[in-house]
PDB file of all heavy atoms in Angstrom:
ATOM      1  N   LEU T   1     -14.664 -14.994 -19.625  1.00  0.00           N
ATOM      2  CA  LEU T   1     -13.766 -16.062 -19.202  1.00  0.00           C
ATOM      3  C   LEU T   1     -14.125 -16.520 -17.796  1.00  0.00           C
ATOM      4  O   LEU T   1     -14.479 -15.710 -16.933  1.00  0.00           O
ATOM      5  CB  LEU T   1     -12.321 -15.560 -19.223  1.00  0.00           C
ATOM      6  CG  LEU T   1     -11.821 -15.085 -20.595  1.00  0.00           C
ATOM      7  CD1 LEU T   1     -10.578 -14.235 -20.415  1.00  0.00           C
ATOM      8  CD2 LEU T   1     -11.533 -16.268 -21.484  1.00  0.00           C
ATOM      9  N   ALA T   2     -14.069 -17.804 -17.601  1.00  0.00           N
ATOM     10  CA  ALA T   2     -14.378 -18.348 -16.280  1.00  0.00           C
ATOM     11  C   ALA T   2     -13.193 -18.105 -15.349  1.00  0.00           C
ATOM     12  O   ALA T   2     -12.088 -18.585 -15.588  1.00  0.00           O
ATOM     13  CB  ALA T   2     -14.672 -19.843 -16.391  1.00  0.00           C
ATOM     14  N   CYS T   3     -13.420 -17.324 -14.310  1.00  0.00           N
ATOM     15  CA  CYS T   3     -12.368 -17.041 -13.328  1.00  0.00           C
ATOM     16  C   CYS T   3     -12.893 -17.379 -11.944  1.00  0.00           C
ATOM     17  O   CYS T   3     -14.055 -17.118 -11.623  1.00  0.00           O
ATOM     18  CB  CYS T   3     -11.956 -15.576 -13.387  1.00  0.00           C
ATOM     19  SG  CYS T   3     -10.993 -15.146 -14.849  1.00  0.00           S
ATOM     20  N   SER T   4     -12.033 -17.938 -11.141  1.00  0.00           N
ATOM     21  CA  SER T   4     -12.430 -18.308  -9.795  1.00  0.00           C
ATOM     22  C   SER T   4     -12.575 -17.075  -8.914  1.00  0.00           C
ATOM     23  O   SER T   4     -12.068 -15.999  -9.231  1.00  0.00           O
ATOM     24  CB  SER T   4     -11.383 -19.250  -9.197  1.00  0.00           C
ATOM     25  OG  SER T   4     -10.149 -18.559  -9.035  1.00  0.00           O
ATOM     26  N   ILE T   5     -13.282 -17.244  -7.814  1.00  0.00           N
ATOM     27  CA  ILE T   5     -13.413 -16.154  -6.852  1.00  0.00           C
ATOM     28  C   ILE T   5     -12.035 -15.736  -6.345  1.00  0.00           C
ATOM     29  O   ILE T   5     -11.765 -14.552  -6.132  1.00  0.00           O
ATOM     30  CB  ILE T   5     -14.311 -16.579  -5.672  1.00  0.00           C
ATOM     31  CG1 ILE T   5     -15.739 -16.827  -6.165  1.00  0.00           C
ATOM     32  CG2 ILE T   5     -14.304 -15.517  -4.588  1.00  0.00           C
ATOM     33  CD1 ILE T   5     -16.408 -15.599  -6.716  1.00  0.00           C
ATOM     34  N   ALA T   6     -11.159 -16.716  -6.186  1.00  0.00           N
ATOM     35  CA  ALA T   6      -9.802 -16.398  -5.711  1.00  0.00           C
ATOM     36  C   ALA T   6      -9.080 -15.496  -6.708  1.00  0.00           C
ATOM     37  O   ALA T   6      -8.419 -14.524  -6.324  1.00  0.00           O
ATOM     38  CB  ALA T   6      -9.019 -17.684  -5.485  1.00  0.00           C
ATOM     39  N   ALA T   7      -9.217 -15.803  -8.002  1.00  0.00           N
ATOM     40  CA  ALA T   7      -8.556 -14.974  -9.014  1.00  0.00           C
ATOM     41  C   ALA T   7      -9.140 -13.572  -9.049  1.00  0.00           C
ATOM     42  O   ALA T   7      -8.414 -12.586  -9.198  1.00  0.00           O
ATOM     43  CB  ALA T   7      -8.692 -15.637 -10.383  1.00  0.00           C
ATOM     44  N   GLU T   8     -10.461 -13.463  -8.917  1.00  0.00           N
ATOM     45  CA  GLU T   8     -11.106 -12.155  -8.934  1.00  0.00           C
ATOM     46  C   GLU T   8     -10.810 -11.352  -7.665  1.00  0.00           C
ATOM     47  O   GLU T   8     -11.004 -10.131  -7.647  1.00  0.00           O
ATOM     48  CB  GLU T   8     -12.620 -12.312  -9.092  1.00  0.00           C
ATOM     49  CG  GLU T   8     -13.041 -12.886 -10.435  1.00  0.00           C
ATOM     50  CD  GLU T   8     -12.794 -11.913 -11.586  1.00  0.00           C
ATOM     51  OE1 GLU T   8     -11.641 -11.857 -12.071  1.00  0.00           O
ATOM     52  OE2 GLU T   8     -13.723 -11.203 -11.984  1.00  0.00           O
ATOM     53  N   SER T   9     -10.337 -12.033  -6.631  1.00  0.00           N
ATOM     54  CA  SER T   9     -10.042 -11.353  -5.361  1.00  0.00           C
ATOM     55  C   SER T   9      -8.618 -10.821  -5.286  1.00  0.00           C
ATOM     56  O   SER T   9      -8.252 -10.157  -4.300  1.00  0.00           O
ATOM     57  CB  SER T   9     -10.285 -12.322  -4.187  1.00  0.00           C
ATOM     58  OG  SER T   9     -11.630 -12.749  -4.157  1.00  0.00           O
ATOM     59  N   VAL T  10      -7.810 -11.092  -6.320  1.00  0.00           N
ATOM     60  CA  VAL T  10      -6.411 -10.647  -6.296  1.00  0.00           C
ATOM     61  C   VAL T  10      -6.333  -9.131  -6.163  1.00  0.00           C
ATOM     62  O   VAL T  10      -5.578  -8.591  -5.331  1.00  0.00           O
ATOM     63  CB  VAL T  10      -5.669 -11.132  -7.559  1.00  0.00           C
ATOM     64  CG1 VAL T  10      -4.318 -10.432  -7.687  1.00  0.00           C
ATOM     65  CG2 VAL T  10      -5.491 -12.632  -7.525  1.00  0.00           C
ATOM     66  N   LEU T  11      -7.110  -8.421  -6.966  1.00  0.00           N
ATOM     67  CA  LEU T  11      -7.019  -6.961  -6.940  1.00  0.00           C
ATOM     68  C   LEU T  11      -7.579  -6.354  -5.669  1.00  0.00           C
ATOM     69  O   LEU T  11      -6.970  -5.418  -5.128  1.00  0.00           O
ATOM     70  CB  LEU T  11      -7.695  -6.378  -8.186  1.00  0.00           C
ATOM     71  CG  LEU T  11      -6.860  -6.539  -9.455  1.00  0.00           C
ATOM     72  CD1 LEU T  11      -7.644  -6.141 -10.688  1.00  0.00           C
ATOM     73  CD2 LEU T  11      -5.586  -5.712  -9.367  1.00  0.00           C
ATOM     74  N   PRO T  12      -8.718  -6.815  -5.136  1.00  0.00           N
ATOM     75  CA  PRO T  12      -9.131  -6.298  -3.822  1.00  0.00           C
ATOM     76  C   PRO T  12      -8.061  -6.493  -2.757  1.00  0.00           C
ATOM     77  O   PRO T  12      -7.846  -5.604  -1.921  1.00  0.00           O
ATOM     78  CB  PRO T  12     -10.393  -7.113  -3.519  1.00  0.00           C
ATOM     79  CG  PRO T  12     -10.961  -7.443  -4.851  1.00  0.00           C
ATOM     80  CD  PRO T  12      -9.769  -7.661  -5.731  1.00  0.00           C
ATOM     81  N   VAL T  13      -7.378  -7.618  -2.791  1.00  0.00           N
ATOM     82  CA  VAL T  13      -6.308  -7.863  -1.811  1.00  0.00           C
ATOM     83  C   VAL T  13      -5.163  -6.882  -2.035  1.00  0.00           C
ATOM     84  O   VAL T  13      -4.587  -6.341  -1.072  1.00  0.00           O
ATOM     85  CB  VAL T  13      -5.817  -9.320  -1.907  1.00  0.00           C
ATOM     86  CG1 VAL T  13      -4.537  -9.509  -1.098  1.00  0.00           C
ATOM     87  CG2 VAL T  13      -6.893 -10.279  -1.437  1.00  0.00           C
ATOM     88  N   LEU T  14      -4.823  -6.612  -3.301  1.00  0.00           N
ATOM     89  CA  LEU T  14      -3.758  -5.647  -3.579  1.00  0.00           C
ATOM     90  C   LEU T  14      -4.122  -4.249  -3.080  1.00  0.00           C
ATOM     91  O   LEU T  14      -3.284  -3.545  -2.510  1.00  0.00           O
ATOM     92  CB  LEU T  14      -3.474  -5.601  -5.076  1.00  0.00           C
ATOM     93  CG  LEU T  14      -2.499  -6.636  -5.629  1.00  0.00           C
ATOM     94  CD1 LEU T  14      -2.357  -6.477  -7.133  1.00  0.00           C
ATOM     95  CD2 LEU T  14      -1.136  -6.516  -4.961  1.00  0.00           C
ATOM     96  N   PHE T  15      -5.362  -3.844  -3.295  1.00  0.00           N
ATOM     97  CA  PHE T  15      -5.805  -2.549  -2.769  1.00  0.00           C
ATOM     98  C   PHE T  15      -5.673  -2.530  -1.248  1.00  0.00           C
ATOM     99  O   PHE T  15      -5.256  -1.509  -0.666  1.00  0.00           O
ATOM    100  CB  PHE T  15      -7.258  -2.276  -3.172  1.00  0.00           C
ATOM    101  CG  PHE T  15      -7.397  -1.551  -4.473  1.00  0.00           C
ATOM    102  CD1 PHE T  15      -7.378  -2.243  -5.674  1.00  0.00           C
ATOM    103  CD2 PHE T  15      -7.535  -0.172  -4.511  1.00  0.00           C
ATOM    104  CE1 PHE T  15      -7.509  -1.581  -6.883  1.00  0.00           C
ATOM    105  CE2 PHE T  15      -7.652   0.505  -5.708  1.00  0.00           C
ATOM    106  CZ  PHE T  15      -7.644  -0.200  -6.907  1.00  0.00           C
ATOM    107  N   ALA T  16      -6.032  -3.625  -0.586  1.00  0.00           N
ATOM    108  CA  ALA T  16      -5.913  -3.684   0.874  1.00  0.00           C
ATOM    109  C   ALA T  16      -4.456  -3.560   1.311  1.00  0.00           C
ATOM    110  O   ALA T  16      -4.132  -2.849   2.278  1.00  0.00           O
ATOM    111  CB  ALA T  16      -6.522  -4.985   1.394  1.00  0.00           C
ATOM    112  N   LEU T  17      -3.561  -4.229   0.585  1.00  0.00           N
ATOM    113  CA  LEU T  17      -2.138  -4.143   0.925  1.00  0.00           C
ATOM    114  C   LEU T  17      -1.605  -2.728   0.725  1.00  0.00           C
ATOM    115  O   LEU T  17      -0.779  -2.248   1.519  1.00  0.00           O
ATOM    116  CB  LEU T  17      -1.344  -5.129   0.065  1.00  0.00           C
ATOM    117  CG  LEU T  17      -1.589  -6.615   0.353  1.00  0.00           C
ATOM    118  CD1 LEU T  17      -0.841  -7.475  -0.651  1.00  0.00           C
ATOM    119  CD2 LEU T  17      -1.175  -6.961   1.781  1.00  0.00           C
ATOM    120  N   ILE T  18      -2.088  -2.049  -0.330  1.00  0.00           N
ATOM    121  CA  ILE T  18      -1.676  -0.660  -0.543  1.00  0.00           C
ATOM    122  C   ILE T  18      -2.163   0.206   0.605  1.00  0.00           C
ATOM    123  O   ILE T  18      -1.442   1.086   1.097  1.00  0.00           O
ATOM    124  CB  ILE T  18      -2.227  -0.145  -1.887  1.00  0.00           C
ATOM    125  CG1 ILE T  18      -1.541  -0.876  -3.043  1.00  0.00           C
ATOM    126  CG2 ILE T  18      -2.005   1.363  -2.027  1.00  0.00           C
ATOM    127  CD1 ILE T  18      -2.174  -0.619  -4.398  1.00  0.00           C
ATOM    128  N   GLY T  19      -3.413  -0.022   1.059  1.00  0.00           N
ATOM    129  CA  GLY T  19      -3.927   0.733   2.199  1.00  0.00           C
ATOM    130  C   GLY T  19      -3.086   0.524   3.446  1.00  0.00           C
ATOM    131  O   GLY T  19      -2.763   1.479   4.163  1.00  0.00           O
ATOM    132  N   ILE T  20      -2.703  -0.715   3.696  1.00  0.00           N
ATOM    133  CA  ILE T  20      -1.860  -1.008   4.864  1.00  0.00           C
ATOM    134  C   ILE T  20      -0.493  -0.341   4.712  1.00  0.00           C
ATOM    135  O   ILE T  20       0.054   0.218   5.678  1.00  0.00           O
ATOM    136  CB  ILE T  20      -1.718  -2.532   5.038  1.00  0.00           C
ATOM    137  CG1 ILE T  20      -3.081  -3.143   5.393  1.00  0.00           C
ATOM    138  CG2 ILE T  20      -0.681  -2.867   6.105  1.00  0.00           C
ATOM    139  CD1 ILE T  20      -3.094  -4.654   5.371  1.00  0.00           C
ATOM    140  N   PHE T  21       0.049  -0.398   3.494  1.00  0.00           N
ATOM    141  CA  PHE T  21       1.342   0.243   3.243  1.00  0.00           C
ATOM    142  C   PHE T  21       1.269   1.739   3.538  1.00  0.00           C
ATOM    143  O   PHE T  21       2.189   2.308   4.152  1.00  0.00           O
ATOM    144  CB  PHE T  21       1.760  -0.006   1.793  1.00  0.00           C
ATOM    145  CG  PHE T  21       3.033   0.692   1.399  1.00  0.00           C
ATOM    146  CD1 PHE T  21       4.263   0.185   1.770  1.00  0.00           C
ATOM    147  CD2 PHE T  21       2.991   1.865   0.654  1.00  0.00           C
ATOM    148  CE1 PHE T  21       5.438   0.838   1.402  1.00  0.00           C
ATOM    149  CE2 PHE T  21       4.147   2.508   0.276  1.00  0.00           C
ATOM    150  CZ  PHE T  21       5.383   1.995   0.648  1.00  0.00           C
ATOM    151  N   LEU T  22       0.205   2.400   3.113  1.00  0.00           N
ATOM    152  CA  LEU T  22       0.061   3.833   3.375  1.00  0.00           C
ATOM    153  C   LEU T  22      -0.063   4.110   4.868  1.00  0.00           C
ATOM    154  O   LEU T  22       0.411   5.145   5.360  1.00  0.00           O
ATOM    155  CB  LEU T  22      -1.158   4.378   2.637  1.00  0.00           C
ATOM    156  CG  LEU T  22      -1.038   4.445   1.110  1.00  0.00           C
ATOM    157  CD1 LEU T  22      -2.373   4.827   0.486  1.00  0.00           C
ATOM    158  CD2 LEU T  22       0.044   5.447   0.701  1.00  0.00           C
ATOM    159  N   MET T  23      -0.676   3.212   5.595  1.00  0.00           N
ATOM    160  CA  MET T  23      -0.825   3.400   7.039  1.00  0.00           C
ATOM    161  C   MET T  23       0.516   3.349   7.761  1.00  0.00           C
ATOM    162  O   MET T  23       0.727   4.044   8.760  1.00  0.00           O
ATOM    163  CB  MET T  23      -1.780   2.347   7.605  1.00  0.00           C
ATOM    164  CG  MET T  23      -3.226   2.509   7.127  1.00  0.00           C
ATOM    165  SD  MET T  23      -4.287   1.118   7.571  1.00  0.00           S
ATOM    166  CE  MET T  23      -4.307   1.255   9.355  1.00  0.00           C
ATOM    167  N   ILE T  24       1.427   2.520   7.260  1.00  0.00           N
ATOM    168  CA  ILE T  24       2.730   2.389   7.923  1.00  0.00           C
ATOM    169  C   ILE T  24       3.823   3.173   7.189  1.00  0.00           C
ATOM    170  O   ILE T  24       5.007   3.045   7.513  1.00  0.00           O
ATOM    171  CB  ILE T  24       3.150   0.908   8.033  1.00  0.00           C
ATOM    172  CG1 ILE T  24       3.348   0.294   6.643  1.00  0.00           C
ATOM    173  CG2 ILE T  24       2.106   0.120   8.819  1.00  0.00           C
ATOM    174  CD1 ILE T  24       3.964  -1.103   6.672  1.00  0.00           C
ATOM    175  N   LEU T  25       3.439   3.998   6.204  1.00  0.00           N
ATOM    176  CA  LEU T  25       4.408   4.690   5.365  1.00  0.00           C
ATOM    177  C   LEU T  25       5.460   5.472   6.147  1.00  0.00           C
ATOM    178  O   LEU T  25       6.649   5.420   5.821  1.00  0.00           O
ATOM    179  CB  LEU T  25       3.672   5.613   4.394  1.00  0.00           C
ATOM    180  CG  LEU T  25       4.498   6.219   3.256  1.00  0.00           C
ATOM    181  CD1 LEU T  25       5.108   5.128   2.381  1.00  0.00           C
ATOM    182  CD2 LEU T  25       3.622   7.139   2.403  1.00  0.00           C
ATOM    183  N   PRO T  26       5.094   6.214   7.209  1.00  0.00           N
ATOM    184  CA  PRO T  26       6.114   6.983   7.934  1.00  0.00           C
ATOM    185  C   PRO T  26       7.175   6.119   8.622  1.00  0.00           C
ATOM    186  O   PRO T  26       8.200   6.640   9.065  1.00  0.00           O
ATOM    187  CB  PRO T  26       5.295   7.756   8.980  1.00  0.00           C
ATOM    188  CG  PRO T  26       3.929   7.841   8.395  1.00  0.00           C
ATOM    189  CD  PRO T  26       3.742   6.545   7.679  1.00  0.00           C
ATOM    190  N   GLN T  27       6.925   4.815   8.698  1.00  0.00           N
ATOM    191  CA  GLN T  27       7.909   3.922   9.333  1.00  0.00           C
ATOM    192  C   GLN T  27       8.700   3.102   8.322  1.00  0.00           C
ATOM    193  O   GLN T  27       9.547   2.298   8.701  1.00  0.00           O
ATOM    194  CB  GLN T  27       7.198   2.948  10.302  1.00  0.00           C
ATOM    195  CG  GLN T  27       6.735   3.564  11.604  1.00  0.00           C
ATOM    196  CD  GLN T  27       5.493   4.400  11.434  1.00  0.00           C
ATOM    197  OE1 GLN T  27       4.527   3.947  10.814  1.00  0.00           O
ATOM    198  NE2 GLN T  27       5.494   5.605  11.992  1.00  0.00           N
ATOM    199  N   VAL T  28       8.437   3.307   7.024  1.00  0.00           N
ATOM    200  CA  VAL T  28       9.123   2.511   5.993  1.00  0.00           C
ATOM    201  C   VAL T  28      10.548   3.034   5.824  1.00  0.00           C
ATOM    202  O   VAL T  28      10.753   4.220   5.541  1.00  0.00           O
ATOM    203  CB  VAL T  28       8.372   2.594   4.651  1.00  0.00           C
ATOM    204  CG1 VAL T  28       9.159   1.859   3.571  1.00  0.00           C
ATOM    205  CG2 VAL T  28       6.981   1.992   4.795  1.00  0.00           C
ATOM    206  N   PRO T  29      11.563   2.180   6.005  1.00  0.00           N
ATOM    207  CA  PRO T  29      12.955   2.634   5.855  1.00  0.00           C
ATOM    208  C   PRO T  29      13.197   3.201   4.456  1.00  0.00           C
ATOM    209  O   PRO T  29      12.710   2.680   3.461  1.00  0.00           O
ATOM    210  CB  PRO T  29      13.756   1.338   6.068  1.00  0.00           C
ATOM    211  CG  PRO T  29      12.851   0.449   6.860  1.00  0.00           C
ATOM    212  CD  PRO T  29      11.464   0.768   6.403  1.00  0.00           C
ATOM    213  N   GLY T  30      13.959   4.278   4.408  1.00  0.00           N
ATOM    214  CA  GLY T  30      14.270   4.914   3.137  1.00  0.00           C
ATOM    215  C   GLY T  30      13.273   5.994   2.791  1.00  0.00           C
ATOM    216  O   GLY T  30      13.658   7.123   2.475  1.00  0.00           O
ATOM    217  N   LEU T  31      11.985   5.679   2.852  1.00  0.00           N
ATOM    218  CA  LEU T  31      10.964   6.673   2.542  1.00  0.00           C
ATOM    219  C   LEU T  31      10.710   7.622   3.698  1.00  0.00           C
ATOM    220  O   LEU T  31      10.314   8.776   3.498  1.00  0.00           O
ATOM    221  CB  LEU T  31       9.647   5.979   2.159  1.00  0.00           C
ATOM    222  CG  LEU T  31       9.671   5.149   0.880  1.00  0.00           C
ATOM    223  CD1 LEU T  31       8.324   4.469   0.660  1.00  0.00           C
ATOM    224  CD2 LEU T  31      10.010   6.026  -0.319  1.00  0.00           C
ATOM    225  N   ALA T  32      10.931   7.145   4.919  1.00  0.00           N
ATOM    226  CA  ALA T  32      10.609   7.941   6.098  1.00  0.00           C
ATOM    227  C   ALA T  32      11.400   9.243   6.175  1.00  0.00           C
ATOM    228  O   ALA T  32      10.994  10.183   6.857  1.00  0.00           O
ATOM    229  CB  ALA T  32      10.847   7.115   7.370  1.00  0.00           C
ATOM    230  N   LYS T  33      12.514   9.344   5.453  1.00  0.00           N
ATOM    231  CA  LYS T  33      13.326  10.559   5.516  1.00  0.00           C
ATOM    232  C   LYS T  33      12.734  11.701   4.692  1.00  0.00           C
ATOM    233  O   LYS T  33      13.133  12.851   4.855  1.00  0.00           O
ATOM    234  CB  LYS T  33      14.748  10.257   5.031  1.00  0.00           C
ATOM    235  CG  LYS T  33      14.820   9.852   3.569  1.00  0.00           C
ATOM    236  CD  LYS T  33      16.251   9.532   3.152  1.00  0.00           C
ATOM    237  CE  LYS T  33      16.321   9.136   1.671  1.00  0.00           C
ATOM    238  NZ  LYS T  33      17.706   8.815   1.264  1.00  0.00           N
ATOM    239  N   LEU T  34      11.782  11.390   3.792  1.00  0.00           N
ATOM    240  CA  LEU T  34      11.155  12.433   2.986  1.00  0.00           C
ATOM    241  C   LEU T  34      10.224  13.271   3.848  1.00  0.00           C
ATOM    242  O   LEU T  34       9.476  12.732   4.681  1.00  0.00           O
ATOM    243  CB  LEU T  34      10.373  11.808   1.828  1.00  0.00           C
ATOM    244  CG  LEU T  34      11.193  10.998   0.820  1.00  0.00           C
ATOM    245  CD1 LEU T  34      10.281  10.340  -0.199  1.00  0.00           C
ATOM    246  CD2 LEU T  34      12.223  11.883   0.127  1.00  0.00           C
ATOM    247  N   HIS T  35      10.255  14.579   3.624  1.00  0.00           N
ATOM    248  CA  HIS T  35       9.443  15.473   4.457  1.00  0.00           C
ATOM    249  C   HIS T  35       7.964  15.130   4.376  1.00  0.00           C
ATOM    250  O   HIS T  35       7.273  15.078   5.397  1.00  0.00           O
ATOM    251  CB  HIS T  35       9.658  16.927   4.021  1.00  0.00           C
ATOM    252  CG  HIS T  35      11.052  17.420   4.248  1.00  0.00           C
ATOM    253  ND1 HIS T  35      11.637  18.402   3.474  1.00  0.00           N
ATOM    254  CD2 HIS T  35      11.998  17.050   5.149  1.00  0.00           C
ATOM    255  CE1 HIS T  35      12.870  18.623   3.905  1.00  0.00           C
ATOM    256  NE2 HIS T  35      13.109  17.813   4.908  1.00  0.00           N
ATOM    257  N   TRP T  36       7.445  14.892   3.164  1.00  0.00           N
ATOM    258  CA  TRP T  36       6.012  14.672   3.031  1.00  0.00           C
ATOM    259  C   TRP T  36       5.591  13.343   3.655  1.00  0.00           C
ATOM    260  O   TRP T  36       4.484  13.227   4.193  1.00  0.00           O
ATOM    261  CB  TRP T  36       5.581  14.756   1.568  1.00  0.00           C
ATOM    262  CG  TRP T  36       5.971  13.601   0.696  1.00  0.00           C
ATOM    263  CD1 TRP T  36       7.084  13.482  -0.059  1.00  0.00           C
ATOM    264  CD2 TRP T  36       5.207  12.407   0.486  1.00  0.00           C
ATOM    265  NE1 TRP T  36       7.083  12.284  -0.735  1.00  0.00           N
ATOM    266  CE2 TRP T  36       5.936  11.609  -0.425  1.00  0.00           C
ATOM    267  CE3 TRP T  36       3.992  11.932   0.969  1.00  0.00           C
ATOM    268  CZ2 TRP T  36       5.490  10.353  -0.847  1.00  0.00           C
ATOM    269  CZ3 TRP T  36       3.531  10.696   0.546  1.00  0.00           C
ATOM    270  CH2 TRP T  36       4.278   9.913  -0.343  1.00  0.00           C
ATOM    271  N   VAL T  37       6.476  12.351   3.613  1.00  0.00           N
ATOM    272  CA  VAL T  37       6.144  11.059   4.214  1.00  0.00           C
ATOM    273  C   VAL T  37       5.975  11.194   5.723  1.00  0.00           C
ATOM    274  O   VAL T  37       5.110  10.551   6.335  1.00  0.00           O
ATOM    275  CB  VAL T  37       7.224  10.012   3.870  1.00  0.00           C
ATOM    276  CG1 VAL T  37       7.017   8.730   4.674  1.00  0.00           C
ATOM    277  CG2 VAL T  37       7.207   9.707   2.377  1.00  0.00           C
ATOM    278  N   GLN T  38       6.770  12.068   6.323  1.00  0.00           N
ATOM    279  CA  GLN T  38       6.677  12.266   7.773  1.00  0.00           C
ATOM    280  C   GLN T  38       5.339  12.861   8.201  1.00  0.00           C
ATOM    281  O   GLN T  38       4.963  12.777   9.373  1.00  0.00           O
ATOM    282  CB  GLN T  38       7.826  13.167   8.226  1.00  0.00           C
ATOM    283  CG  GLN T  38       9.206  12.583   7.976  1.00  0.00           C
ATOM    284  CD  GLN T  38      10.323  13.613   8.143  1.00  0.00           C
ATOM    285  OE1 GLN T  38      10.107  14.685   8.697  1.00  0.00           O
ATOM    286  NE2 GLN T  38      11.506  13.291   7.639  1.00  0.00           N
ATOM    287  N   THR T  39       4.628  13.471   7.261  1.00  0.00           N
ATOM    288  CA  THR T  39       3.350  14.102   7.598  1.00  0.00           C
ATOM    289  C   THR T  39       2.147  13.195   7.373  1.00  0.00           C
ATOM    290  O   THR T  39       1.022  13.553   7.717  1.00  0.00           O
ATOM    291  CB  THR T  39       3.157  15.379   6.763  1.00  0.00           C
ATOM    292  OG1 THR T  39       3.030  15.034   5.378  1.00  0.00           O
ATOM    293  CG2 THR T  39       4.324  16.327   6.940  1.00  0.00           C
ATOM    294  N   VAL T  40       2.363  12.021   6.768  1.00  0.00           N
ATOM    295  CA  VAL T  40       1.255  11.129   6.412  1.00  0.00           C
ATOM    296  C   VAL T  40       0.605  10.570   7.678  1.00  0.00           C
ATOM    297  O   VAL T  40       1.294  10.112   8.597  1.00  0.00           O
ATOM    298  CB  VAL T  40       1.742   9.983   5.505  1.00  0.00           C
ATOM    299  CG1 VAL T  40       0.646   8.947   5.296  1.00  0.00           C
ATOM    300  CG2 VAL T  40       2.193  10.547   4.168  1.00  0.00           C
TER     301      VAL T  40
END
């Protein structure tokens, strides 16, 4: 199927957002109270 570069880039962008989320995980409200999150 013909897909644009933008469409094929959706998942790389999602992986990047997940990486950023993990970097700020100890500051995320609600999750920060979990013991393991505090160690990330």
Side-chain angles (χ1 to χ4, degrees):
L1 300 163
C3 288
S4 65
I5 295 296
E8 294 291 82
S9 299
V10 168
L11 285 172
V13 169
L14 275 178
F15 270 84
L17 292 175
I18 292 170
I20 294 171
F21 176 78
L22 290 172
M23 293 170 66
I24 64 171
L25 191 60
Q27 285 76 48
V28 175
L31 295 177
K33 64 181 181 180
L34 298 175
H35 295 152
W36 73 268
V37 171
Q38 298 167 15
T39 66
V40 172

